[in-house]
RNA sequence: GCGGGGGUGCCCGAGCUGGUCAAAGGGGGCGGACUCAAGAUCCGCUGGCGUAGGCCUGCGUGGGUUCGAAGCCCACCCCCCGCACCA
């Protein structure tokens, strides 16, 4: 199988059948799939999306479209650099994966320390995999995102976004390595921990030493702060921040230098020393004690916290432990049915033993109060000058109060916000603990811009989504997206045109590159230099803006070439469909939508997005730790390309995860092999077949063509493969059985016709296999370019299909009875058909039902002469209710003679049952012996 | 918390515009054919009861709508995924 695949891949390449050029006489279809980031070879998981795109591309090609399916490689970003560093450092885990999972030779691994070598090596590796799995790509258009030609395009895009006001400057907190001074994302940390950045509110409690900035996530409880906790065993720094003298832990003093410029270190003081002083609550104005507690972590925020025993389990617990519970607890938040001192009550009730218990209680209190808590009247607790403001707080929910208190504190200069790593400690790969750095003058794409959002929403409303459920995801993401940093200080990529120290980050330089495919091969063909690809040049190619004479003379590119490129762009754009995995919905695909909406006119907006789920291996998620990552090329060697294509795309529908299992892949290989053998043996069938069987088979094939076309249009590969691989197989067997039962040889000519239709249906899924069969059948064309089969819906086909189904149901019923036959071995099945009159009643019943009528109407129409007949009519009515729609059509459309229909199938029935089958009219039934009645389509069956 | 997707028989997994649904298709198990034998392949059975195509129970839990619910509505429980400057 693999050698067949190689053979046809070479033939395709030789004939250049996937190189697509503009052709005004044909409808075009432009499809893309999210290009790969080459930091590893492809594994099975990558394969699914690309094959999905390819199957659909091949389908559309067979439907007569001029299909463009291009590919590029995404070099932009930091992970490749980080990985190359790790290789250079001899990172054991990474090298182990390269060596033992991806089977990369040792002499190559050592070279991977060079990031560019790594990218190129994996690019080539991925490209090989793509070719080996049979993707029908036009490789002339390949590029990488660090090609200078591509960079010129990105420069144009960013200038465009800048012009429209969609790029803004702002400050922005990031995870930061305090030693090497670089931003730290998930790929740069030990254990791939994403540094989560959150906000603490500092509340300024005055003291004789200066301000004690208590850090809290719950500023709304400040009214109940009756003390300040410090850790007596650590050293605190005296600093100046915002011109104010403050006390914070030494670590905090260090960390805050990454967030503020105006910090001075004035000295230090022992924590135990601090407890000799008193502090003043800035909101209540009350003097409160500074107390010692070892639970205060100097590494979190400022290392100073306020004590609110009513609402913080730690605070109450330590108050009690220090025998200070005589202090008056002040309550601020009321929870319906749970009192107003939740922390105190829970500590008393559950009696926590250690910090873990207290931590759990804290989370519990936080959750309950956050969701259900209401503010009490706090105006009586505050300084006289604040009373009026806080009167309105009564009844506020906790989140509302939190926001208001925070705003109040900041406005009055009584507090401020700082950032902290919430899931600390997170360590940089270099070993240092990550801190928060505020980057100033960071560049953002302003996805929060209301006009831009509106455009994106408009694009979404006209877009087709597969599967349709994902539309909701896009709508939600569009609402939720805000400013997004679009440049980093390091990594591969294109510098921002107006501020070159910033590199445009990877999710921002990959939003409209599909447009670049349309002309990338022309840049190469005409050897255009990056310096020629100016802003004006791109403006003309992409938007038709500007004076072509001027552009031609300024860039030195001939007018013909510029025009040709513009025309080619216009031929292929808009993009017809984009494929990707579902993980890209909240990021790449949403940015793709936003940027198209921003840059291009509405008629060039992309038309459809198709996303697929992940690939499981033997029912489990593939992961490094489970070591169950199967390199794609390895799978191709083991199972052959066509089998992998089917196993990756056709066992689940688009949205859900596919389970790649060895046994399923093998069974696909097996069934393809069986088909192959069957086709080899086709010449031995030289009979005429039986008439009914021939008609039935033709009908069944038509129906498969119709359903497959419908399913392919919806990218429902699972149903299609089910029909063409498995149902079709059983139809062939049934056909041969039907002929045999009738004493006839199967019709070879018909079988050949049927196989020719079938192999075309299979071609998008198993193109190599299909190509081979197609040529075995004597054709010299490429099946990849053949026309997709068509069929007409016909009532005659339906008739044959339903009659055969009816036969099978009689067989099934007979079999059931035979299984319960107790008088030895059954020797004959006798079928007694209901009176023809009753069939008319059934038809009447169906008619009445389809007009929304009832049993009553049927009775009125039929006017049964006695009770027995009335009973039968009732049963017929019930039968009619349960018939499926096709059967109803059949009954209404044909004057059915049930006896004739049955006789068409008696030979088949007795063949299947292994004993003779005879058909009689019900009048021949000896009612004294068998208490049975015959209804239309439900004949009486007697086994003897 | 917010948003999305789910919970089906021994297992995996379809069905979800209400009626041929005791519920496709696999897998596993049991029995049979073929074979010296094993494997592969093919055939039958695989919720319970039943000496004739039937009855009963049943698709997360509890209600409801309906002549009729795996499917529709409500409430609850549980599981998975995403939540940003990162590809």
């Amino acid at each position: 199988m693999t050698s067949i695949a190689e053979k046809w891949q070479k033939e395709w390449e030789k004939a250049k059948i996937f190189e697509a050029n503009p052709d005004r006489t044909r409808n075009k279809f432009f499809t893309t799939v999210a290009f790969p980031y080459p930091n590893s070879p492809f594994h099975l998981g990558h394969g699914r999306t690309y094959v999905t795109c390819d199957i659909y591309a091949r389908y559309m090609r067979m439907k007569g479209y001029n299909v463009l399916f291009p590919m590029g490689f995404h070099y932009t970003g930091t992970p490749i650099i980080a990985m190359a560093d790790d290789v250079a450092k001899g990172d054991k885990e990474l090298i182990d994966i390269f060596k033992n999972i991806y089977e990369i030779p040792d002499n190559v691994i050592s070279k991977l320390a060079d990031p560019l070598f790594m990218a190129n090596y994996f690019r080539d590796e991925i490209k090989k995999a793509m070719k080996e799995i049979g993707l029908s790509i036009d490789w002339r258009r390949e590029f990488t995102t660090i090609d200078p030609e591509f960079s010129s395009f990105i420069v144009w895009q960013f200038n465009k976004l800048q012009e429209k006001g969609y790029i803004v400057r702002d400050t922005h907190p990031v995870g930061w390595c305090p030693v090497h001074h670089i931003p730290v994302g998930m790929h740069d940390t030990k254990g791939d921990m994403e540094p989560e950045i959150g906000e603490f509110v500092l509340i300024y409690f005055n003291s004789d030493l200066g301000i004690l900035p208590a850090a809290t996530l719950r500023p709304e409880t400040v009214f109940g702060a009756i003390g300040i906790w410090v850790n007596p065993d650590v050293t605190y720094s005296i600093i100046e921040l915002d011109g104010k003298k403050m006390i914070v832990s030494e670590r905090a003093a260090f960390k805050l230098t990454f967030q503020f410029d105006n910090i001075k270190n004035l000295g230090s003081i022992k924590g135990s020393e601090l407890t000799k002083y008193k502090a003043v609550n800035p909101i209540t104005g009350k003097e409160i004690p500074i107390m010692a507690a070892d639970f205060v972590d100097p590494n979190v925020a400022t290392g100073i916290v306020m004590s609110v025993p009513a609402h913080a389990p730690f605070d109450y617990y330590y108050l009690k432990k220090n025998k200070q519970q005589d202090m008056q607890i002040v309550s601020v938040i009321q929870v319906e049915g749970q009192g107003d001192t939740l922390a105190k009550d829970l500590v008393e009730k559950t009696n926590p033993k250690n910090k873990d218990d207290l931590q759990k209680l804290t989370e519990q209190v936080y959750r309950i109060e956050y969701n259900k808590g209401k503010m009490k009247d706090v105006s009586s607790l505050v300084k006289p000058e604040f009373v009026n403001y806080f009167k309105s707080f009564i009844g506020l929910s906790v989140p509302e109060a939190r926001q208001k208190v925070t705003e109040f504190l900041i406005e009055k200069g009584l507090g401020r916000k700082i950032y902290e790593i919430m899931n600390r400690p997170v360590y940089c790969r270099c070993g240092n603990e990550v801190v928060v750095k505020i980057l100033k003058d960071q560049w953002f794409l302003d996805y929060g811009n209301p006009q831009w959002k509106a455009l994106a929403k408009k694009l979404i409303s006209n877009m087709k989504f597969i599967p349709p459920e994902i539309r909701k995801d896009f709508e939600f993401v569009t609402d939720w997206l805000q400013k997004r940093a679009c440049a980093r200080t390091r990594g591969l990529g294109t510098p921002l045109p107006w501020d070159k120290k910033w590199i445009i980050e990877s999710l921002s330089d990959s939003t409209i590159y599909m447009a670049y495919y349309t002309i990338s091969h022309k840049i190469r063909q005409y050897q255009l230099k990056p310096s020629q690809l100016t802003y004006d040049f791109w403006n003309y190619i992409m938007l038709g803006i500007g004076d072509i004479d001027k552009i031609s003379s300024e860039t030195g590119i001939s007018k013909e070439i510029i025009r040709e490129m513009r025309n080619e762009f216009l031929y292929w754009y808009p993009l017809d469909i984009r494929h990707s995995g579902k993980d890209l919905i909240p990021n790449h695909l949403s940015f793709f939508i936003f940027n198209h909406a921003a840059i291009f006119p509405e008629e060039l907006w992309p038309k459809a997005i198709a996303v697929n789920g992940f690939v499981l291996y033997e029912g489990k998620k593939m992961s490094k730790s489970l070591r169950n990552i199967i390199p794609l090329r390895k799978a191709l060697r083991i199972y052959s390309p066509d089998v992998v294509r089917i196993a990756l795309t056709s066992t689940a529908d688009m949205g859900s995860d596919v389970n790649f299992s060895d046994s399923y892949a093998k069974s696909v290989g097996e069934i393809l092999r069986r088909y192959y053998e069957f086709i080899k043996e086709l010449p031995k069938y030289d009979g005429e077949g039986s008439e009914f069987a021939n008609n039935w088979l033709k009908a069944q094939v038509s129906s498969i063509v119709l359903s497959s076309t419908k399913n392919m249009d919806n990218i429902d590969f699972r149903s299609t493969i089910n029909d063409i691989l498995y149902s079709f197989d059983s139809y062939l067997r049934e056909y041969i059985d039907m002929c045999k039962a009738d004493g006839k040889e199967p019709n070879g000519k018909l079988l050949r016709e049927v196989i020719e239709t079938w192999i075309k249906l299979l071609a998008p899924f198993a193109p190599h296999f299909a190509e081979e069969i197609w040529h075995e059948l004597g054709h010299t064309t490429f099946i990849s370019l053949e026309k997709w089969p068509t069929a007409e819906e016909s009532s005659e086909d339906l008739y044959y299909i339903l009659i055969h189904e009816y036969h099978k149901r009689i067989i099934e019923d007979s079999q059931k009875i035979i299984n319960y036959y107790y008088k030895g071995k059954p020797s004959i099945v006798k079928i007694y058909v209901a009176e023809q009159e009753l069939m008319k009643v059934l038809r009447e019943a169906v008619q009445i039902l389809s007009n929304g009528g009832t049993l009553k109407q049927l009775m009125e129409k039929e006017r049964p002469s006695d009770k027995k007949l009335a009973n039968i009519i009732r049963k017929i009515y019930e039968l009619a209710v349960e018939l499926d729609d096709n059967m109803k059509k059949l009954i209404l459309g044909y004057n059915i003679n049930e006896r004739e229909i049955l006789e068409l199938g008696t030979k088949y029935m007795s063949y299947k049952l292994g004993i003779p089958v005879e058909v009689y009219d019900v009048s021949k039934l000896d009612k004294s012996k068998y208490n049975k009645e015959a209804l239309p389509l439900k004949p009486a069956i007697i086994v003897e």
Side-chain angles (χ1 to χ4, degrees):
Chain A
M1 287 282 276
T2 306
S3 63
I4 289 177
E6 265 174 49
K7 169 175 147 197
W8 289 109
Q9 282 158 16
K10 276 189 197 135
E11 293 288 332
W12 293 332
E13 204 169 327
K14 215 161 72 190
K16 300 181 193 292
I17 61 171
F18 304 131
E19 293 187 2
N21 294 308
D23 175 356
R24 294 279 166 193
T25 64
R26 289 160 72 202
N27 284 329
K28 63 92 186 179
F29 184 77
F30 183 21
T31 179
T32 62
V33 51
F35 55 14
Y37 185 72
N39 68 343
S40 72
F42 263 4
H43 57 247
L44 277 177
H46 294 109
R48 183 176 179 190
T49 312
Y50 294 85
V51 172
T52 301
C53 180
D54 186 62
I55 290 173
Y56 196 60
R58 286 175 176 274
Y59 168 68
M60 292 305 276
R61 202 174 278 120
M62 291 180 78
K63 293 265 279 189
Y65 289 90
N66 186 16
V67 174
L68 173 58
F69 176 14
M71 188 58 62
F73 293 90
H74 201 195
Y75 279 30
T76 312
T78 50
I80 288 178
I81 292 178
M83 278 173 90
D85 276 355
D86 286 345
V87 173
K89 279 186 209 141
D91 185 295
K92 272 191 185 151
E93 200 190 322
L94 185 65
I95 290 173
D96 172 59
I97 288 164
F98 282 160
K99 193 171 169 169
N100 297 316
I101 292 183
Y102 289 114
E103 299 169 12
I104 298 171
D106 283 340
N107 62 328
V108 172
I109 290 180
S110 57
K111 292 187 204 152
L112 294 177
D114 171 13
L116 220 51
F117 178 88
M118 178 185 277
N120 287 331
Y121 178 78
F122 288 140
R123 186 259 324 265
D124 294 341
E125 188 69 20
I126 290 168
K127 201 169 156 182
K128 278 181 200 156
M130 286 176 168
K131 288 187 170 178
E132 283 166 7
I133 205 168
L135 302 189
S136 55
I137 290 171
D138 180 353
W139 284 106
R140 295 172 305 162
R141 300 166 188 260
E142 178 190 350
F143 66 91
T144 85
T145 55
I146 58 168
D147 296 349
E149 299 82 3
F150 181 76
S151 275
S152 77
F153 174 68
I154 295 301
V155 164
W156 170 77
Q157 178 192 357
F158 271 74
N159 279 321
K160 227 51 213 174
L161 292 169
Q162 170 84 313
E163 276 170 32
K164 293 183 188 270
Y166 293 151
I167 296 183
V168 295
R169 263 192 141 171
D170 204 346
T171 56
H172 177 63
V174 293
W176 189 261
C177 174
V179 176
H180 295 95
H181 298 281
I182 50 168
V184 178
M186 185 166 74
H187 298 285
D188 312 309
T189 60
K190 283 197 173 164
D192 282 350
M193 296 248 296
E194 178 75 42
E196 289 168 27
I197 295 167
E199 287 176 346
F200 273 90
V201 174
L202 304 189
I203 301 175
Y204 297 161
F205 288 74
N206 251 314
S207 77
D208 291 345
L209 288 167
I211 290 168
L212 293 170
T216 179
L217 295 168
R218 306 193 55 190
E220 74 282 3
T221 61
V222 65
F223 313 98
I226 55 167
I228 291 289
W229 295 114
V230 295
N231 191 319
D233 305 322
V234 307
T235 307
Y236 284 79
S237 294
I238 304 167
I239 60 165
E240 192 183 300
L241 172 64
D242 297 341
K244 297 184 175 97
K245 194 173 159 197
M246 299 194 194
I247 317 283
V248 299
S249 72
E250 273 191 316
R251 177 74 188 164
F254 173 69
K255 286 192 292 188
L256 288 174
T257 60
F258 295 93
Q259 295 184 31
F260 307 104
D261 295 333
N262 49 358
I263 286 194
K264 282 186 211 145
N265 202 326
L266 306 174
S268 62
I269 184 169
K270 199 82 176 124
S272 51
E273 203 59 27
L274 289 169
T275 58
K276 293 174 182 160
Y277 294 83
K278 297 264 183 194
V280 177
N281 184 322
I283 296 292
T284 65
K286 294 202 177 71
E287 194 174 75
I288 57 175
I290 298 170
M291 303 174 290
D294 58 9
F295 74 83
V296 177
D297 185 344
N299 297 314
V300 176
T302 56
I304 293 176
V305 293
M306 60 186 188
S307 172
V308 188
H311 304 293
F314 271 103
D315 296 351
Y316 180 76
Y317 177 84
Y318 275 84
L319 219 54
K320 197 175 163 190
K321 197 174 156 195
N322 295 353
K323 310 217 184 305
Q324 288 170 307
Q325 68 267 52
D326 52 317
M327 283 178 67
Q328 206 193 338
I329 290 172
V330 178
S331 158
V332 182
I333 296 160
Q334 164 100 40
V335 179
E336 174 109 26
Q338 301 186 54
D340 60 0
T341 52
L342 197 57
K344 174 186 169 199
D345 299 344
L346 281 172
V347 170
E348 294 289 352
K349 198 170 128 197
T350 63
N351 194 21
K353 302 256 173 338
N354 49 40
K355 284 188 185 178
D356 282 350
D357 289 352
L358 280 166
Q359 192 58 42
K360 272 186 204 139
L361 275 186
T362 302
E363 281 163 26
Q364 195 183 343
V365 170
Y366 186 98
R367 189 160 292 239
I368 294 172
E369 292 190 338
Y370 186 85
N371 292 317
K372 297 185 184 154
K374 292 271 180 282
M375 296 301 289
K376 294 170 63 176
D377 181 16
V378 292
S379 61
S380 59
L381 302 170
V382 304
K383 283 181 173 177
E385 64 262 40
F386 298 157
V387 169
N388 271 334
Y389 180 79
F390 286 108
K391 267 186 180 157
S392 63
F393 265 51
I394 185 161
L396 283 186
S397 72
V398 167
E400 285 167 334
R402 180 173 303 167
Q403 199 186 338
K404 286 197 157 188
V405 169
T406 307
E407 282 165 11
F408 183 83
L409 287 166
I410 293 171
E411 191 201 316
K412 297 281 174 191
L414 301 174
R416 69 163 306 137
K417 288 183 186 174
I418 61 163
Y419 293 106
E420 178 62 290
I421 304 284
M422 301 310 277
N423 56 340
R424 65 163 294 281
V426 175
Y427 296 99
C428 178
R429 282 180 191 274
C430 71
N432 290 289
E433 190 179 336
V434 174
V435 301
V436 179
K437 160 97 173 166
I438 296 182
L439 282 181
K440 288 203 181 140
D441 302 329
Q442 164 77 286
W443 293 99
F444 290 83
L445 284 170
D446 189 9
Y447 294 127
N449 181 312
Q451 284 139 358
W452 199 0
K453 263 193 206 299
L455 282 173
K457 281 191 178 174
K458 193 170 179 199
L459 194 161
I460 286 170
S461 70
N462 293 321
M463 187 163 230
K464 183 179 178 188
F465 291 101
I466 297 160
E469 304 89 78
I470 62 169
R471 176 181 299 277
K472 286 184 222 149
D473 294 85
F474 281 103
E475 282 165 355
F476 178 77
V477 171
T478 305
D479 276 333
W480 160 85
L481 273 175
Q482 290 302 324
K483 281 197 282 259
R484 185 195 154 86
C486 62
R488 302 192 65 171
T489 51
R490 66 194 191 112
L492 298 173
T494 305
L496 260 187
W498 56 84
D499 190 356
K500 298 233 159 82
K501 70 172 190 283
W502 293 99
I503 306 292
I504 296 168
E505 63 84 40
S506 58
L507 284 168
S508 302
D509 82 343
S510 56
T511 57
I512 59 165
Y513 68 89
M514 314 82 212
Y516 186 80
Y517 284 130
T518 62
I519 43 74
S520 58
H521 61 312
K522 293 287 166 193
I523 293 177
R524 198 163 301 134
Q525 183 186 335
Y526 296 120
Q527 300 180 355
L528 305 184
K529 294 190 185 63
S531 60
Q532 294 176 286
L533 309 176
T534 60
Y535 175 86
D536 289 338
F537 167 82
W538 287 115
N539 240 358
Y540 187 81
I541 301 294
M542 294 290 146
L543 300 171
I545 296 173
D547 174 10
I548 189 164
D549 295 307
K550 202 172 152 230
I551 295 165
S552 175
S553 70
E554 276 174 12
T555 59
I557 306 170
S558 79
K559 277 196 278 184
E560 289 69 42
I561 291 176
I562 296 176
R563 223 174 262 128
E564 183 188 340
M565 289 172 85
R566 169 70 179 159
N567 284 339
E568 175 137 16
F569 168 72
L570 282 177
Y571 178 77
W572 295 114
Y573 244 58
L575 180 67
D576 291 286
I577 193 167
R578 179 150 186 83
H579 289 262
S580 106
K582 64 180 172 190
D583 49 328
L584 299 189
I585 293 174
N587 43 67
H588 165 70
L589 289 172
S590 293
F591 303 152
F592 157 74
I593 288 170
F594 266 89
N595 282 273
H596 271 86
I599 304 251
F600 292 105
E602 201 174 330
E603 63 272 17
L604 297 182
W605 286 355
K607 292 190 174 154
I609 284 178
V611 311
N612 53 262
F614 303 128
V615 177
L616 308 178
Y617 181 70
E618 301 295 352
K620 290 198 182 72
K621 228 175 167 164
M622 285 189 275
S623 75
K624 290 171 194 168
S625 57
L626 287 173
R627 304 191 67 84
N628 60 353
I629 297 173
I630 310 296
L632 187 57
R633 298 186 67 201
K634 188 177 180 181
L636 293 176
R637 283 198 300 276
I638 298 174
Y639 303 108
S640 90
D642 288 335
V643 167
V644 173
R645 287 170 66 99
I646 291 170
L648 275 180
T649 54
S650 309
T651 58
D653 44 29
M654 279 290 277
S656 20
D657 296 348
V658 133
N659 182 16
F660 188 101
S661 69
D662 179 66
S663 60
Y664 180 76
K666 280 187 176 143
S667 80
V668 170
E670 188 53 35
I671 195 160
L672 288 180
R673 195 185 54 75
R674 283 215 305 272
Y675 273 115
Y676 187 74
E677 277 166 15
F678 176 77
I679 290 162
K680 281 259 186 200
E681 285 172 3
L682 263 184
K684 87 173 192 200
Y685 298 109
D686 54 358
E688 287 298 310
S690 87
E691 194 193 338
F692 178 72
N694 290 350
N695 285 331
W696 173 79
L697 183 62
K698 279 188 224 163
Q700 209 59 265
V701 169
S702 287
S703 129
I704 277 200
V705 168
L706 285 169
S707 64
S708 299
T709 306
K710 200 173 133 220
N711 290 330
M712 288 303 282
D713 285 337
N714 294 323
I715 317 194
D716 180 356
F717 296 161
R718 191 176 53 78
S719 306
T720 313
I721 276 293
N722 239 327
D723 283 349
I724 65 185
L725 228 46
Y726 298 101
S727 304
F728 185 78
D729 180 52
S730 65
Y731 295 154
L732 285 179
R733 289 158 188 255
E734 267 177 79
Y735 170 72
I736 289 166
D737 276 355
M738 282 159 88
C739 290
K740 267 193 207 163
D742 209 18
K744 301 267 171 58
E745 268 295 301
N747 186 324
K749 198 165 152 259
L750 174 63
L751 279 174
R752 199 191 138 95
E753 261 169 46
V754 161
I755 286 290
E756 290 206 350
T757 302
W758 170 80
I759 194 67
K760 286 181 193 165
L761 298 180
L762 186 64
F765 295 91
H768 314 93
F769 177 80
E771 209 68 82
E772 183 71 15
I773 299 281
W774 186 245
H775 286 255
E776 295 249 339
L777 290 171
H779 297 280
T780 52
T781 53
F782 285 114
I783 196 169
S784 304
L785 302 177
E786 283 295 314
K787 285 272 165 290
W788 182 259
T790 54
E792 297 276 316
E793 227 168 311
S794 91
S795 61
E796 213 170 303
D797 285 347
L798 191 62
Y799 174 80
Y800 291 119
I801 290 170
L802 289 174
I803 286 175
H804 185 63
E805 254 166 45
Y806 166 79
H807 292 158
K808 284 203 284 190
R809 213 192 62 229
I810 303 284
I811 292 170
E812 200 180 299
D813 283 353
S814 306
Q815 190 64 53
K816 270 189 184 171
I817 297 169
I818 289 170
N819 289 346
Y820 272 94
Y821 190 72
Y822 57 99
K823 300 180 209 157
K825 235 179 139 99
S827 58
I828 190 162
V829 175
K830 291 181 178 172
I831 300 173
Y832 295 86
V833 189
E835 295 93 338
Q836 193 61 25
E837 307 301 309
L838 292 183
M839 185 59 86
K840 283 186 191 147
V841 177
L842 179 63
R843 176 189 274 206
E844 200 61 55
V846 170
Q847 188 88 56
I848 286 171
L849 271 168
S850 62
N851 294 331
T854 60
L855 177 59
K856 214 173 163 188
Q857 282 174 338
L858 183 66
M859 287 296 186
E860 276 162 13
K861 182 118 191 188
E862 294 298 327
R863 299 191 172 278
S865 50
D866 58 69
K867 253 194 166 171
K868 212 176 143 197
L869 190 57
N871 200 27
I872 287 174
I873 289 173
R874 206 202 70 234
K875 281 187 181 169
I876 291 175
Y877 174 80
E878 282 166 5
L879 202 81
V881 168
E882 289 176 354
L883 286 175
D884 69 31
D885 290 347
N886 281 336
M887 209 59 184
K888 283 179 185 163
K889 262 192 238 165
L890 182 74
I891 288 166
L892 291 177
Y894 285 84
N895 190 7
I896 292 173
N897 181 325
E898 193 174 359
R899 180 153 185 182
E900 277 174 18
I901 289 175
L902 258 176
E903 278 167 351
L904 280 173
T906 43
K907 285 180 181 167
Y908 182 63
M909 292 179 205
S910 61
Y911 178 84
K912 281 300 211 187
L913 291 169
I915 48 174
V917 174
E918 286 172 3
V919 180
Y920 303 95
D921 286 329
V922 74
S923 54
K924 300 279 192 317
L925 178 62
D926 182 355
K927 299 247 169 149
S928 64
K929 219 168 146 193
Y930 296 102
N931 179 24
K932 285 209 172 201
E933 62 194 8
L935 292 172
L937 302 181
K938 290 251 177 198
I941 300 169
I942 306 292
V943 175
E944 285 175 352

